[in-house]
Every structure is written in structure tokens, then in C-alpha cells.
Amino acid sequence: MKPDEPVVLTERIGRVGLATLNRPRQLNALNDELMDRLGEALLAFDADDAVGAIVIAGGARAFAAGADIAAMVDWTYMDVYRSDFITRNWETIRRVRKPVLAAVAGFAMGGGCELALACDIVVAGESARFALPEIKLAMLPGAGGTQRLPRAVGKAKAMDMCLSARALDAAEADRYGLVSRVVPDERLFEETLALAATIAAYSLPALMAIKESVNRTYESALGEGIGFERRQLHARFASEDAHEGMRAFLDKRPPRFSHR
């Protein structure tokens, strides 16, 4: 990384927005500047009608090796409380309505693991390693780790990882439900972009409704989630794309979605 190079690189590839973490010397350690820029990139892609899905990528050695400890070592309680640490910028991803995919190779430690957990789909290269080692610093996973990890892998595995700093390789992470799929490292970028392109080609309103419905039951009681899902299904009948999709199926032709 050159001194004047941005800490997050962005580009649009077809209907896919790509945000690449770019602090290679620090193994993409997540500091406030990086999380500010990442949040801005995600919101810009979310507002771009030409983008249907978003990919967050890291480097070959690390997706993100955790929070930037050097930046945090002297902070006090009042420093983090008054600055609204984590909530102010790390949680920006929760405001993104379009599907967000993580392409993870190498280390996804601490905050890096939590960032991946906050994405909708995690594609892992075979070199990926996931851990929440904050206990080693007498800290805890405070960017959603203690909340999202149990929902992904269950209480027993989450307790093991959080209390002992146990790391999972890609195969274990896949087996436990932390990642969506595992691919060879040399195909990680290609496979993730291809998956994102497939998703982005579908009707954007339907994608957003599905994401919102899954997140609703993920974060609430089953009955509430079912009710929300039903209203989202009913709302599809007001969508031009849904009628186009059904007509195309009956006509045995590819649908032509207008994302309306």
C-alpha cells in the first residue's frame, strides 16, 4: 500500500460493488479510518441503482487480522463511550439492504471474524482461519461476536471459541455453519464475484425482501418472523418483477427483470 492509497478500494464489476480492505502491512487491521471508509463504500453501493450485490474482500494473507490494537491501547472508558466506539461505524453494515458477501482468505481474527459474521454470505478460501481471541487481551468480542457467533454455530462452539480463543480452519467453519461455502484459494475471488453476479441478476426488490425476512427471524421470535415473511410474500404481488418472473416461467424464457 502506498502512503496516499485509500484504505478501502472500490470498484463496480457489472452489477456487483466490490470493496477491498487495503492495509496489507497491518494485515487489514480494522481501525476507525478503515471502518469509516468501508461504511461509506457500503452505503454508496447500497444507494447505487446499478448495484445489486456487494462483496467485501481482503488480501491473500488476511481478510482482516482484527481490530487495530496499537490504536486502542491507551483509550479510556470515556474515550470509547463518548466516541460511540464500534456502534458509530462498525454497525453501518446493518443499514445495508442489499446482499453483502465476504470473500475470506487467511486470517479473519477478532474484528475480522466479526465483520465476516455481519455479512449475509461468507465464501471462504481453504486458507481461511476464524477466531475470536480477545480473551487473550482480557477483552471480549464486542463488535457483535458474542451475539452473532452463537446464532451461527450454536452456544457450545461459540463458548469454546470465545473462552479459549480456539481457531477454526475453513473446513471446520463450514461444518459448524460459520461460512456459506469453501473454495480453493486461487478461485476465491472469481467464485465470490460469480456468486455475487448471480445474486445481483435477480430482482433487487425480491433480494432485499428476502434479506430483511431472514434477518427478522434471526433477530426475533419465530412467530414474529413468520408474520413478517408472509407480508413480504404478499408484497411481491405488487412487484413488476414477480409478475415478469412468473410469466417468463410459463413462457419458458429467461425473465427480464426491471428491478421494480
Side-chain angles (χ1 to χ4, degrees), residues 168-245:
L168 301 183
D169 62 25
E172 289 175 309
D174 185 31
R175 194 159 63 243
Y176 298 154
L178 195 155
V179 306
S180 309
R181 58 182 75 181
V182 178
V183 301
D185 280 357
E186 61 271 18
R187 293 184 56 82
L188 174 62
F189 189 70
E190 176 185 349
E191 294 274 355
T192 308
L193 282 182
L195 175 58
T198 296
I199 292 170
Y202 295 130
S203 167
L204 181 57
L207 292 171
M208 293 164 67
I210 290 170
K211 173 172 175 171
E212 193 171 5
S213 296
V214 172
N215 282 337
R216 177 61 64 99
T217 199
Y218 181 78
E219 298 174 358
S220 63
L222 177 61
E224 182 183 342
I226 290 290
F228 185 83
E229 174 194 77
R230 202 60 33 77
R231 292 297 172 261
Q232 289 292 336
L233 174 63
H234 294 168
R236 292 300 88 225
F237 289 88
S239 162
E240 295 177 12
D241 282 347
H243 291 285
E244 164 61 13

Side-chain angles (χ1 to χ4, degrees), residues 16-36:
V16 177
L18 174 63
T20 303
L21 311 183
N22 187 43
R23 298 186 75 209
R25 288 187 179 181
Q26 296 82 17
L27 298 180
N28 290 330
L30 306 173
N31 61 7
D32 266 345
E33 181 188 8
L34 189 151
M35 296 310 295
D36 285 344

